[in-house]
Amino acid sequence: MSERASSITSPTETDDPPTGEQHADESATTQDSRAESDTEQEPVTTGAQSVIRALENAGVEYAFGVQGGAIMPVYDALYDSDIYHVTMAHEQGAAHAADAYGIVSGEPGICLATSGPGATNLVTGIADADMDSDPMLALTGQVPREFVGNDAFQETDTTGVTTPITKDNTFSDDPDTVGSDVSEAFALAREGRPGPTLVDLPKDVTKADTDHEPDDPKVPDTYEVQERADPEIVEQAARRIENSSKPALLLGGGVIKGEASEACREFAIEHEIPVITTMPGIGSFPEDHELSMEMAGMHGTGYANMAVTHCDTLIGIGTRFDDRLTGGIETFAPDAELIHVDIDPAEISKNIHADYPLIGDAETVVTQLAEEMETSPQATKWRAQCQQWKSDYSMAYAAPEDRPVQPEFVVEALDEATSDRAVVTTGVGQHQMWACQYWTYTEPRTWVSSHGLGTMGYGLPSAIGARIAADDDQEVVCIDGDGSFLMTLQGLSVAVRENLDITVVVLNNEYIGMVRQWQDAFFEGRHAASEYNWMPEFDKLAEAFGAQGFRIDEYDEVADTIEAAIDYDGPSVIDAHIDPQANVYPMVPSGGDNGQFALAEDQL
Amino acid sequence: MSGGLDGPAPEERPTPKGRRTAQGIRVDPEVEAQHDPRRTVISALVEHEPGVLSDVSGLFSRRQFNIESLTVGPTEDEDRARITLVVEEPDPGIEQIKKQLRKLVPVVSVQELEPDAMRRELALVKVNAMRPDRVAAVADMFDGKTVDATPETATIEITGSDQKIDSAIEAFGQFGIREISRTGTTALARGMTDTAREAPPEESAQNEPTQPQQPHADDD
Ligand SMILES: Cc1ncc(C[n+]2csc(CCOP(=O)(O)OP(=O)(O)O)c2C)c(N)n1
């Protein structure tokens, strides 16, 4: 355990942490390291070696995966490589870990699996990365070419299955080009709008002899990305913002992926424009800033939803206007002219019509807009209104003495006990919403969650990937639900084996709580398949895996237990028994009007 | 139940006056934006490689785009194939189709054709041959060619617009139709207008045909 643990920490100890700031120089760095290593690298002799060489050339340091028949030649080549492989307990976990690695580092996370069940186990994680545009490269083994189509042992049409959930995928059928296929897939995963790519590797292709070194990671000629927006529309948009009396910025996940957080902050502060975020946009703007309205949408803050509903100019950056954000389209920002900045032309006017379509890289376009602005909008009254809403719809929650511990209290205590750069990962459900609402995010790439797909079980494996990508001084906390944790807790074996410093806090309500809340609101309280009448003791379970276990039942245990768990150097699990009846508010029911969010069940 | 928050109830809050259509377009109280479906032809130049056709058809089924026909075949460049799609959607849907198609990595270029573009379809119509002379007369009317004749059946080949083929099939109906096979529409733009063609190297992404803010030949 300790041997491997030291190799885990070494790359993060170098003065070159794989953080987002490095993004822009990355190609240069990659070039350098390749030039350097060219002299020492042995020439490739097999397809599998060419695959691994392609990863090395791209600057890959880590990979997550599970062995198996059809991928064995690739693993055999990996055995000689400096790439550190984290052996996962389940391929779904490998995909989520790679996805989280991509979110935190900004560089594609790599996952590997064998053919058939290995590949299908990756599917949930690939779909998750696709929905959230996270950079990721999946390498799957496949049966030898002569068996393809014969229903051979562990044969699944992996490219067929993953076509709708990848940015691009390839069935690699030639040992001489297999390495270049991997290089290209890596480049495609990170360029433009990021996303998951997959290369399917038939076993005879990876086993075959070849002396073909892979090409440099480069997107194909047919792939074009527009960086700068049309200057005429930039000009019109700037005039519109200047003349607006109720402007609002809506920052999405694209702001973080495009490294535009800094530019957006400067723009907002310079022109004093209130800032709303989407859920993937959390961390793009400091939530403790007075201009921050925090997250809008289904469980967004009341003030964010009021601001988005009443603004007259909405500057949406790197957002795809998902239905959890917009609620009913008819009532979404109905008075607002929309300035929409996105790198993907297909997002423009897909859900909400863009009056000012600005196609381009978020940072570039925000800089263009900033340069074009001559004055700031006159919006004193609007800003005062936004502040008023912040106090009218404060997120202050009740913590009655006669009820069990409230979940919000636990989330706030965790935030208190950790640094500003701590990384939070979650499962899906009520706990995820409390983690959005009651943790104050101030830095990009510190919020790691399953947004678009809403995958229960995302929390622990993503904490593993986040831990490996994060700097040593960043704590990694997984705020999980009991139901979500049960889906992937085998990952604890990995966290213990790799001695990863992760704190899992299970907000244990002994329900799959979000479903229970909806049943109470919309199905007359009929708790079909949402109640557990028996629950494992997660602290003891953790101990059985070799992790440190803790338990919280009372308010006065919260702070000390959290401190002990955070201090523990290795994986720890707190089984936090919270109020089973606690509900998440505000809430906009599906398809509802954001401005009419409910503050309690009787308003639904 | 617990966990409610304080604050003005929904009915106590101000509400905005505006509204959007289901297509996300702000409703101008003066002119309510209406978008009826229209039928149009989209041509896509793609890499000539396995899997592209399934990528394209998968995209249409997954995004619920309404597709009337899809044809594919080689082009003057052996590395390229052309896919011709007849679709029926409101304008925002047609824009989405073009943009989503362009996003597929093996798709090189996408263009919506002008209404005057040349559109052709081929059909084979097999009818009962009880009255061969009458069958031949109807075939003549539609510039059809008899490609197979037996004592029981006659098979006629017809090319033309899909409307022409529809009318021919209707006319053959009197003899009793045994089987029909149609290819779907293929199309090219007229004269010097390009259909969907590779951008010359000096053209940057700024001149992307799928970019909505720049008027281009495909915006009709
Ligand atoms: C893989 C998966 N299956 C089912 C769901 C549907 N679902 C959404 S939230 C939820 C309840 C989650 O329960 P838990 O993890 O205990 O979190 P809680 O809501 O209690 O905080 C369920 C079942 C889902 N999102 N993902």
Side-chain angles (χ1 to χ4, degrees):
Chain A
M1 196 206 300
S2 50
E3 242 181 57
R4 293 202 142 193
S6 61
S7 52
I8 274 291
T9 40
S10 58
T12 45
E13 276 164 14
T14 67
D15 47 5
D16 189 15
T19 57
E21 289 94 83
Q22 256 69 40
H23 201 131
D25 315 323
E26 189 51 43
S27 53
T29 326
T30 313
Q31 300 282 347
D32 288 352
S33 58
R34 187 177 49 253
E36 216 172 82
S37 41
D38 260 356
T39 48
E40 25 180 291
Q41 278 175 343
E42 299 275 327
V44 304
T45 60
T46 63
Q49 284 181 3
S50 174
V51 167
I52 299 302
R53 181 62 47 81
L55 297 179
E56 290 168 346
N57 289 353
V60 170
E61 291 176 293
Y62 297 99
F64 306 86
V66 178
Q67 261 279 24
I71 194 79
M72 283 178 73
V74 177
Y75 270 99
D76 192 59
L78 189 60
Y79 202 63
D80 295 325
S81 169
D82 289 339
I83 295 172
Y84 186 85
H85 179 263
V86 181
T87 304
M88 301 297 289
H90 189 294
E91 291 87 352
Q92 181 187 348
H96 290 326
D99 173 274
Y101 181 91
I103 294 173
V104 175
S105 73
E107 286 297 310
I110 313 296
C111 56
L112 293 98
T114 192
S115 64
T120 56
N121 273 351
L122 286 180
V123 164
T124 300
I126 297 172
D128 195 291
D130 192 53
M131 286 295 256
D132 289 349
S133 308
D134 296 328
M136 171 167 122
L137 167 58
L139 301 177
T140 49
Q142 185 54 278
V143 300
R145 283 169 297 177
E146 58 173 322
F147 290 99
V148 169
N150 291 354
D151 303 324
F153 178 64
Q154 297 195 326
E155 181 191 354
T156 296
D157 174 8
T158 303
T159 49
V161 168
T162 58
T163 292
I165 53 165
T166 48
K167 184 170 167 183
D168 191 46
N169 67 19
T170 310
F171 177 80
S172 203
D173 63 355
D174 182 349
D176 292 346
T177 53
V178 64
S180 298
D181 286 346
V182 171
S183 298
E184 184 177 289
F186 184 90
L188 274 170
R190 68 190 290 278
E191 293 286 302
R193 179 180 181 172
T197 56
L198 179 144
V199 185
D200 201 27
L201 304 163
K203 192 174 186 178
D204 62 324
V205 170
T206 51
K207 268 170 77 176
D209 292 341
T210 181
D211 56 4
H212 280 69
E213 296 287 334
D215 292 343
D216 291 346
K218 189 175 143 302
V219 294
D221 294 341
T222 57
Y223 185 81
E224 288 165 351
V225 179
Q226 181 174 333
E227 297 285 328
R228 287 177 71 78
D230 184 328
E232 253 174 60
I233 303 175
V234 170
E235 198 186 313
Q236 292 161 12
R239 297 295 88 78
R240 172 67 203 184
I241 299 169
E242 287 162 4
N243 293 315
S244 155
S245 55
K246 300 176 187 175
L249 277 154
L250 175 67
L251 307 185
V255 170
I256 296 170
K257 291 174 211 303
E259 295 295 338
S261 304
E262 202 48 54
C264 289
R265 284 172 197 213
E266 281 169 18
F267 190 85
I269 292 167
E270 161 93 25
H271 300 292
E272 295 183 273
I273 300 174
V275 181
I276 303 156
T277 71
T278 68
M279 185 157 81
I282 285 177
S284 57
F285 191 79
E287 292 185 326
D288 53 2
H289 194 280
E290 100 170 298
L291 287 170
S292 172
M293 306 301 283
E294 301 164 42
M295 177 179 88
M298 181 173 275
H299 289 298
T301 63
Y303 32 100
N305 281 327
M306 289 302 275
V308 81
T309 303
H310 290 274
C311 63
D312 68 5
T313 305
L314 186 62
I315 310 156
I317 307 174
T319 167
R320 60 186 173 82
F321 294 100
D322 165 82
D323 55 276
R324 284 294 197 262
L325 167 75
T326 61
I329 293 293
E330 291 83 355
T331 49
F332 178 74
D335 289 342
E337 290 202 7
L338 174 63
I339 297 165
H340 191 181
V341 180
D342 207 287
I343 198 155
D344 181 355
E347 287 306 339
I348 305 284
S349 299
K350 184 184 81 179
N351 292 341
I352 304 291
H353 176 78
D355 300 284
Y356 305 86
L358 295 173
I359 299 166
D361 166 69
E363 195 199 9
T364 310
V365 180
V366 172
T367 309
Q368 282 180 278
L369 267 176
E371 282 166 2
E372 186 57 45
M373 292 285 286
E374 284 161 6
T375 61
S376 294
Q378 301 293 305
T380 319
K381 248 179 87 182
W382 166 246
R383 278 191 298 273
Q385 173 64 265
C386 288
Q387 292 308 319
Q388 184 61 44
W389 283 328
K390 277 173 100 165
S391 75
D392 286 351
Y393 300 103
S394 137
M395 293 296 287
Y397 58 93
E401 284 295 323
D402 59 345
R403 296 219 48 97
V405 175
Q406 295 301 308
E408 299 91 332
F409 185 86
V410 180
V411 173
E412 285 182 341
L414 268 166
D415 189 7
E416 189 88 345
T418 51
S419 69
D420 277 354
R421 294 183 63 230
V423 176
V424 177
T425 78
T426 72
V428 168
Q430 293 181 311
H431 63 278
Q432 178 190 29
M433 295 302 120
W434 289 314
C436 288
Q437 294 174 335
Y438 290 94
W439 187 290
T440 306
Y441 298 88
T442 55
E443 297 293 329
R445 303 191 186 280
T446 59
W447 166 246
V448 179
S449 194
S450 171
H451 309 109
L453 198 66
T455 310
M456 286 171 73
Y458 181 80
L460 177 59
S462 63
I464 292 172
R467 173 70 278 163
I468 285 169
D471 295 342
D472 281 353
D473 62 355
Q474 290 181 281
E475 303 92 337
V476 174
V477 177
C478 165
I479 299 177
D480 222 341
D482 42 285
S484 294
F485 189 47
L486 276 173
M487 288 202 178
T488 52
L489 59 69
Q490 71 279 57
L492 276 179
S493 67
V494 181
V496 171
R497 182 176 1 101
E498 303 284 344
N499 193 27
L500 300 176
D501 193 4
I502 292 168
T503 309
V504 179
V505 183
V506 182
L507 297 181
N508 187 348
N509 50 15
E510 302 190 14
Y511 276 114
I512 47 175
M514 188 59 98
V515 170
R516 196 269 307 142
Q517 177 173 344
W518 282 48
Q519 285 168 333
D520 287 344
F522 309 118
F523 293 88
E524 293 138 25
R526 289 151 56 87
H527 293 169
S530 63
E531 246 167 19
Y532 296 116
N533 56 12
W534 183 82
M535 201 36 119
E537 291 176 60
F538 292 116
D539 51 338
K540 294 199 178 137
L541 201 49
E543 300 272 342
F545 275 101
Q548 192 78 13
F550 298 91
R551 182 181 165 112
I552 291 175
D553 290 288
E554 305 292 338
Y555 278 112
D556 60 9
E557 296 165 345
V558 173
D560 290 350
T561 311
I562 286 175
E563 195 187 314
I566 299 275
D567 282 352
Y568 179 72
D569 187 16
S572 57
V573 175
I574 304 177
D575 188 2
H577 287 258
I578 56 153
D579 186 350
Q581 303 304 324
N583 283 338
V584 184
Y585 286 100
M587 176 174 186
V588 181
S590 302
D593 176 345
N594 278 342
Q596 297 287 300
F597 55 86
L599 292 165
E601 195 177 297
D602 58 8
Q603 294 176 359
L604 279 169
Chain B
M1 200 276 298
S2 67
L5 299 169
D6 292 333
E11 60 279 7
E12 297 159 24
R13 297 174 203 152
T15 49
K17 287 188 199 53
R19 206 169 60 77
R20 288 181 189 270
T21 66
Q23 286 141 345
I25 300 166
R26 238 168 346 103
V27 174
D28 185 335
E30 304 292 306
V31 270
E32 178 131 353
Q34 271 293 343
H35 286 278
D36 292 328
R38 66 183 172 86
R39 183 187 270 231
T40 191
V41 179
I42 293 171
S43 183
L45 197 66
V46 303
E47 301 226 44
H48 201 173
E49 63 181 32
V52 185
L53 189 58
S54 91
D55 284 359
V56 170
S57 56
L59 175 73
F60 274 71
S61 71
R62 183 166 82 81
R63 296 205 179 258
Q64 298 192 47
F65 295 142
N66 218 336
I67 184 171
E68 304 276 319
S69 84
L70 184 160
T71 64
V72 61
T75 64
E76 71 281 6
D77 178 345
E78 63 174 23
D79 294 333
R80 300 282 180 255
R82 184 180 302 286
I83 295 181
T84 307
L85 298 142
V86 180
V87 299
E88 188 165 329
E89 282 285 332
D91 274 330
I94 291 171
E95 281 309 311
Q96 261 299 301
I97 290 175
K98 290 192 274 183
K99 292 191 244 178
Q100 292 291 351
L101 272 174
R102 185 62 191 88
K103 252 171 83 167
L104 297 175
V105 174
V107 172
V108 178
S109 166
V110 176
Q111 185 111 335
E112 182 179 350
L113 299 189
E114 299 288 344
D116 74 344
M118 299 166 285
R119 309 162 186 220
R120 290 294 180 273
E121 178 173 356
L122 183 147
L124 294 172
V125 185
K126 192 188 285 180
V127 298
N128 292 324
M130 311 295 271
R131 314 189 54 180
D133 50 331
R134 296 277 305 272
V135 171
V138 174
D140 257 7
M141 257 169 65
F142 293 95
D143 294 328
K145 216 165 63 186
T146 306
V147 286
D148 180 49
T150 68
E152 296 84 21
T153 67
T155 304
I156 297 94
E157 171 197 317
I158 305 154
T159 32
S161 67
D162 55 351
Q163 295 92 322
K164 174 180 163 188
I165 291 173
D166 288 345
S167 343
I169 290 169
E170 211 186 308
F172 283 118
Q174 55 179 305
F175 310 115
I177 293 176
R178 299 177 72 96
E179 282 183 312
I180 294 175
S181 183
R182 298 176 65 158
T183 58
T185 299
T186 191
L188 274 185
R190 285 188 187 273
M192 291 301 284
T193 314
D194 292 328
T195 305
R197 110 173 214 274
E198 216 133 336
E202 70 273 15
E203 260 180 65
S204 74
Q206 292 281 355
N207 299 321
E208 264 293 281
T210 50
Q211 195 188 324
Q213 68 257 45
Q214 297 211 339
H216 195 277
D218 71 346
D219 298 336
D220 38 297

